[in-house]
mmCIF file with all atom_site columns, all heavy atoms in Angstrom:
data_model
loop_
_atom_site.group_PDB
_atom_site.id
_atom_site.type_symbol
_atom_site.label_atom_id
_atom_site.label_alt_id
_atom_site.label_comp_id
_atom_site.label_asym_id
_atom_site.label_entity_id
_atom_site.label_seq_id
_atom_site.pdbx_PDB_ins_code
_atom_site.Cartn_x
_atom_site.Cartn_y
_atom_site.Cartn_z
_atom_site.occupancy
_atom_site.B_iso_or_equiv
_atom_site.pdbx_formal_charge
_atom_site.auth_seq_id
_atom_site.auth_comp_id
_atom_site.auth_asym_id
_atom_site.auth_atom_id
_atom_site.pdbx_PDB_model_num
ATOM 1  N N   . LEU A 1 17 ? 29.497 34.143 48.280 1.00 87.00 ? 20 LEU A N   1
ATOM 2  C CA  . LEU A 1 17 ? 28.640 35.319 48.268 1.00 87.00 ? 20 LEU A CA  1
ATOM 3  C C   . LEU A 1 17 ? 27.608 35.153 49.376 1.00 87.00 ? 20 LEU A C   1
ATOM 4  O O   . LEU A 1 17 ? 26.856 34.174 49.399 1.00 87.00 ? 20 LEU A O   1
ATOM 5  C CB  . LEU A 1 17 ? 27.936 35.480 46.917 1.00 87.00 ? 20 LEU A CB  1
ATOM 6  C CG  . LEU A 1 17 ? 27.078 36.738 46.800 1.00 87.00 ? 20 LEU A CG  1
ATOM 7  C CD1 . LEU A 1 17 ? 27.971 37.983 46.788 1.00 87.00 ? 20 LEU A CD1 1
ATOM 8  C CD2 . LEU A 1 17 ? 26.232 36.702 45.550 1.00 87.00 ? 20 LEU A CD2 1
ATOM 9  N N   . VAL A 1 18 ? 27.595 36.089 50.311 1.00 84.00 ? 21 VAL A N   1
ATOM 10 C CA  . VAL A 1 18 ? 26.615 36.084 51.394 1.00 84.00 ? 21 VAL A CA  1
ATOM 11 C C   . VAL A 1 18 ? 25.373 36.805 50.881 1.00 84.00 ? 21 VAL A C   1
ATOM 12 O O   . VAL A 1 18 ? 25.481 37.847 50.227 1.00 84.00 ? 21 VAL A O   1
ATOM 13 C CB  . VAL A 1 18 ? 27.189 36.796 52.648 1.00 84.00 ? 21 VAL A CB  1
ATOM 14 C CG1 . VAL A 1 18 ? 26.175 36.804 53.785 1.00 84.00 ? 21 VAL A CG1 1
ATOM 15 C CG2 . VAL A 1 18 ? 28.477 36.113 53.099 1.00 84.00 ? 21 VAL A CG2 1
ATOM 16 N N   . ARG A 1 19 ? 24.212 36.242 51.145 1.00 81.00 ? 22 ARG A N   1
ATOM 17 C CA  . ARG A 1 19 ? 22.963 36.851 50.671 1.00 81.00 ? 22 ARG A CA  1
ATOM 18 C C   . ARG A 1 19 ? 22.840 38.289 51.149 1.00 81.00 ? 22 ARG A C   1
ATOM 19 O O   . ARG A 1 19 ? 23.211 38.616 52.278 1.00 81.00 ? 22 ARG A O   1
ATOM 20 C CB  . ARG A 1 19 ? 21.763 36.056 51.186 1.00 81.00 ? 22 ARG A CB  1
ATOM 21 C CG  . ARG A 1 19 ? 21.548 34.777 50.430 1.00 81.00 ? 22 ARG A CG  1
ATOM 22 C CD  . ARG A 1 19 ? 20.128 34.270 50.683 1.00 81.00 ? 22 ARG A CD  1
ATOM 23 N NE  . ARG A 1 19 ? 19.927 33.053 49.927 1.00 81.00 ? 22 ARG A NE  1
ATOM 24 C CZ  . ARG A 1 19 ? 19.932 31.849 50.455 1.00 81.00 ? 22 ARG A CZ  1
ATOM 25 N NH1 . ARG A 1 19 ? 20.126 31.689 51.742 1.00 81.00 ? 22 ARG A NH1 1
ATOM 26 N NH2 . ARG A 1 19 ? 19.730 30.791 49.700 1.00 81.00 ? 22 ARG A NH2 1
ATOM 27 N N   . HIS A 1 20 ? 22.271 39.131 50.280 1.00 77.00 ? 23 HIS A N   1
ATOM 28 C CA  . HIS A 1 20 ? 22.016 40.527 50.657 1.00 77.00 ? 23 HIS A CA  1
ATOM 29 C C   . HIS A 1 20 ? 21.063 40.546 51.847 1.00 77.00 ? 23 HIS A C   1
ATOM 30 O O   . HIS A 1 20 ? 20.194 39.694 51.971 1.00 77.00 ? 23 HIS A O   1
ATOM 31 C CB  . HIS A 1 20 ? 21.422 41.288 49.467 1.00 77.00 ? 23 HIS A CB  1
ATOM 32 C CG  . HIS A 1 20 ? 22.417 41.569 48.395 1.00 77.00 ? 23 HIS A CG  1
ATOM 33 N ND1 . HIS A 1 20 ? 23.136 40.590 47.761 1.00 77.00 ? 23 HIS A ND1 1
ATOM 34 C CD2 . HIS A 1 20 ? 22.834 42.738 47.859 1.00 77.00 ? 23 HIS A CD2 1
ATOM 35 C CE1 . HIS A 1 20 ? 23.948 41.138 46.868 1.00 77.00 ? 23 HIS A CE1 1
ATOM 36 N NE2 . HIS A 1 20 ? 23.786 42.441 46.900 1.00 77.00 ? 23 HIS A NE2 1
ATOM 37 N N   . ARG A 1 21 ? 21.243 41.524 52.708 1.00 78.00 ? 24 ARG A N   1
ATOM 38 C CA  . ARG A 1 21 ? 20.447 41.635 53.923 1.00 78.00 ? 24 ARG A CA  1
ATOM 39 C C   . ARG A 1 21 ? 19.686 42.963 53.942 1.00 78.00 ? 24 ARG A C   1
ATOM 40 O O   . ARG A 1 21 ? 20.088 43.928 53.300 1.00 78.00 ? 24 ARG A O   1
ATOM 41 C CB  . ARG A 1 21 ? 21.365 41.589 55.145 1.00 78.00 ? 24 ARG A CB  1
ATOM 42 C CG  . ARG A 1 21 ? 22.255 40.362 55.196 1.00 78.00 ? 24 ARG A CG  1
ATOM 43 C CD  . ARG A 1 21 ? 21.958 39.545 56.427 1.00 78.00 ? 24 ARG A CD  1
ATOM 44 N NE  . ARG A 1 21 ? 22.966 38.519 56.667 1.00 78.00 ? 24 ARG A NE  1
ATOM 45 C CZ  . ARG A 1 21 ? 22.939 37.310 56.155 1.00 78.00 ? 24 ARG A CZ  1
ATOM 46 N NH1 . ARG A 1 21 ? 21.995 36.968 55.330 1.00 78.00 ? 24 ARG A NH1 1
ATOM 47 N NH2 . ARG A 1 21 ? 23.867 36.427 56.456 1.00 78.00 ? 24 ARG A NH2 1
ATOM 48 N N   . THR A 1 22 ? 18.635 42.976 54.736 1.00 82.00 ? 25 THR A N   1
ATOM 49 C CA  . THR A 1 22 ? 17.880 44.198 54.947 1.00 82.00 ? 25 THR A CA  1
ATOM 50 C C   . THR A 1 22 ? 17.979 44.566 56.420 1.00 82.00 ? 25 THR A C   1
ATOM 51 O O   . THR A 1 22 ? 17.801 43.713 57.293 1.00 82.00 ? 25 THR A O   1
ATOM 52 C CB  . THR A 1 22 ? 16.393 44.010 54.572 1.00 82.00 ? 25 THR A CB  1
ATOM 53 O OG1 . THR A 1 22 ? 16.329 43.528 53.232 1.00 82.00 ? 25 THR A OG1 1
ATOM 54 C CG2 . THR A 1 22 ? 15.622 45.295 54.675 1.00 82.00 ? 25 THR A CG2 1
ATOM 55 N N   . ALA A 1 23 ? 18.310 45.820 56.690 1.00 78.00 ? 26 ALA A N   1
ATOM 56 C CA  . ALA A 1 23 ? 18.367 46.308 58.060 1.00 78.00 ? 26 ALA A CA  1
ATOM 57 C C   . ALA A 1 23 ? 17.862 47.748 58.072 1.00 78.00 ? 26 ALA A C   1
ATOM 58 O O   . ALA A 1 23 ? 18.276 48.562 57.240 1.00 78.00 ? 26 ALA A O   1
ATOM 59 C CB  . ALA A 1 23 ? 19.795 46.246 58.596 1.00 78.00 ? 26 ALA A CB  1
ATOM 60 N N   . ARG A 1 24 ? 16.960 48.046 58.992 1.00 81.00 ? 27 ARG A N   1
ATOM 61 C CA  . ARG A 1 24 ? 16.390 49.393 59.129 1.00 81.00 ? 27 ARG A CA  1
ATOM 62 C C   . ARG A 1 24 ? 15.863 49.932 57.796 1.00 81.00 ? 27 ARG A C   1
ATOM 63 O O   . ARG A 1 24 ? 16.067 51.098 57.462 1.00 81.00 ? 27 ARG A O   1
ATOM 64 C CB  . ARG A 1 24 ? 17.406 50.354 59.745 1.00 81.00 ? 27 ARG A CB  1
ATOM 65 C CG  . ARG A 1 24 ? 17.618 50.058 61.234 1.00 81.00 ? 27 ARG A CG  1
ATOM 66 C CD  . ARG A 1 24 ? 18.701 50.910 61.764 1.00 81.00 ? 27 ARG A CD  1
ATOM 67 N NE  . ARG A 1 24 ? 19.922 50.114 61.555 1.00 81.00 ? 27 ARG A NE  1
ATOM 68 C CZ  . ARG A 1 24 ? 21.116 50.452 61.934 1.00 81.00 ? 27 ARG A CZ  1
ATOM 69 N NH1 . ARG A 1 24 ? 21.320 51.582 62.518 1.00 81.00 ? 27 ARG A NH1 1
ATOM 70 N NH2 . ARG A 1 24 ? 22.143 49.678 61.727 1.00 81.00 ? 27 ARG A NH2 1
ATOM 71 N N   . GLY A 1 25 ? 15.267 49.044 57.010 1.00 83.00 ? 28 GLY A N   1
ATOM 72 C CA  . GLY A 1 25 ? 14.661 49.466 55.745 1.00 83.00 ? 28 GLY A CA  1
ATOM 73 C C   . GLY A 1 25 ? 15.633 49.589 54.581 1.00 83.00 ? 28 GLY A C   1
ATOM 74 O O   . GLY A 1 25 ? 15.235 49.954 53.491 1.00 83.00 ? 28 GLY A O   1
#
Side-chain angles (χ1 to χ4, degrees):
L20 183 68
V21 180
R22 283 198 179 104
H23 287 57
R24 305 241 192 272
T25 305
R27 288 174 270 183

